[in-house]
Amino acid sequence: MDHEKNMSPEKMAEHHREMLQEILKGDWRDSKNTARDQYRHPLETLTFFGVTPHSKVIEISPGGGWYSEIIAPYATKHGSYTGAVTNPAVIEKESSKAYFAKQNQALRDKFAAKPEIYGKAALHEYDPAKPEFGAPGSADAVLTFRNVHNWRMAKQAEGMFAGFFAVLKKGGTLGVVEHRAAKDVADDDRSGYVSEAQVIALATKAGFKLDARSEVNANPKDTKDYPGGVWTLPPTYGQGDTDRAKYQAIGESDRMTLRFVKP
């Protein structure tokens, strides 16, 4: 870290970008995940969100760890990484309880298998009905990738955004990537898409200010009118082999990329 002391802001930003580029080449990353870089643009997205090797980052619902493979070794250079996962113990539905338990264990196993990469990463279990993500004002950045539609369907979105606001420090960043609907969707919509206006409204209600938008994860080929919603597209291919080539040519969904700040 001493070598950064005399760097100009521009030199520092370039140094951090080079570090992130090296992590993206890491041999610990699953080849199926690296193949999706062309759609998820992790270098540009994390740079836009202002994540650095010094950031205290909380990633909400990391799932199988696609972004964990990148953010965990990057942020824990000098900062920290916490994956916030649903606590199975508070889930009533048995099938959902089992799902989250299995997913969380898989992520723990992933981290434990490579302590040299993930040894400083942490997991934090939260209750989606009353989410708490850590000590108030303790995080530099809260990041969420393609989760808002799930929280809206479960009627948990407002509580989640309030939890993000609470855990972030003053001036901290909330970064949101989400499947982008062409217009507002109904509260009971199950397409997987949400409008930018609806996400901005949720964040604003929680106290955030919209700082900037990026089109880095945009996909104009996405017509957003599929029989199985967004899961019709890759990588899910929810319709199986039906029109698979057509959906492959479209690619992954059109996504908003929004940066909010806690005033």
Side-chain angles (χ1 to χ4, degrees):
M1 200 153 69
D2 288 344
H3 65 282
E4 295 185 352
K5 285 182 179 178
N6 297 319
M7 286 186 181
S8 66
E10 295 77 16
K11 194 71 175 175
M12 181 85 75
E14 182 57 32
H15 174 56
H16 290 164
R17 186 180 180 89
E18 290 170 356
M19 291 174 67
L20 188 50
Q21 286 173 321
E22 283 304 305
I23 283 172
L24 290 172
K25 299 173 187 173
D27 60 8
W28 61 87
R29 295 189 66 206
D30 188 311
S31 60
K32 291 180 180 177
N33 290 343
T34 56
R36 296 180 65 198
D37 285 359
Q38 62 178 312
Y39 301 116
R40 303 197 69 177
H41 309 99
L43 176 66
E44 296 82 359
T45 300
L46 294 176
T47 300
F48 174 71
F49 288 152
V51 176
T52 78
H54 303 269
S55 300
K56 295 177 181 177
V57 179
I58 300 175
E59 183 188 1
I60 311 297
S61 301
W66 195 97
Y67 255 108
S68 305
E69 292 182 351
I70 303 165
I71 305 172
Y74 183 57
T76 58
K77 293 284 188 186
H78 309 296
S80 64
Y81 170 87
T82 301
V85 297
T86 299
N87 181 358
V90 303
I91 304 300
E92 292 184 9
K93 189 177 179 182
E94 287 302 319
S95 60
S96 298
K97 185 190 293 283
Y99 169 82
F100 287 117
K102 182 178 180 181
Q103 187 178 66
N104 295 355
Q105 190 56 52
L107 199 55
R108 288 190 183 95
D109 292 345
K110 183 185 186 84
F111 288 179
K114 292 194 177 293
E116 70 279 13
I117 303 299
Y118 305 112
K120 296 179 182 178
L123 292 184
H124 172 85
E125 293 187 337
Y126 70 90
D127 180 351
K130 44 183 184 224
E132 173 275 314
F133 302 107
S138 61
D140 296 312
V142 170
L143 307 180
T144 171
F145 303 94
R146 301 164 28 249
N147 290 308
V148 179
H149 59 280
N150 291 322
W151 302 327
R152 290 186 79 251
M153 285 190 280
K155 297 179 171 52
Q156 297 165 344
E158 287 189 9
M160 293 295 289
F161 276 79
F164 307 156
F165 191 84
V167 78
L168 278 167
K169 71 178 187 181
K170 185 178 176 66
T173 297
L174 169 64
V176 180
V177 176
E178 175 60 297
H179 309 296
R180 178 165 49 192
K183 58 184 179 180
D184 287 1
V185 297
D187 290 345
D188 60 352
D189 180 81
R190 306 192 73 80
S191 69
Y193 292 93
V194 182
S195 79
E196 276 197 24
Q198 287 172 308
V199 174
I200 292 169
L202 282 165
T204 302
K205 185 173 183 178
F208 289 102
K209 300 291 185 185
L210 178 65
D211 189 48
R213 314 178 199 220
S214 171
E215 289 299 299
V216 66
N217 293 303
N219 180 3
K221 295 179 183 177
D222 180 6
T223 55
K224 313 173 187 188
D225 56 355
Y226 314 111
V230 72
W231 299 281
T232 303
L233 296 175
T236 309
Y237 290 110
Q239 302 299 302
D241 290 333
T242 303
D243 291 328
R244 189 181 182 94
K246 169 188 168 183
Y247 299 130
Q248 187 173 31
I250 292 171
E252 295 195 17
S253 68
D254 175 51
R255 293 164 191 164
M256 67 184 88
T257 306
L258 307 175
R259 186 175 73 225
F260 298 94
V261 171
K262 178 176 178 175

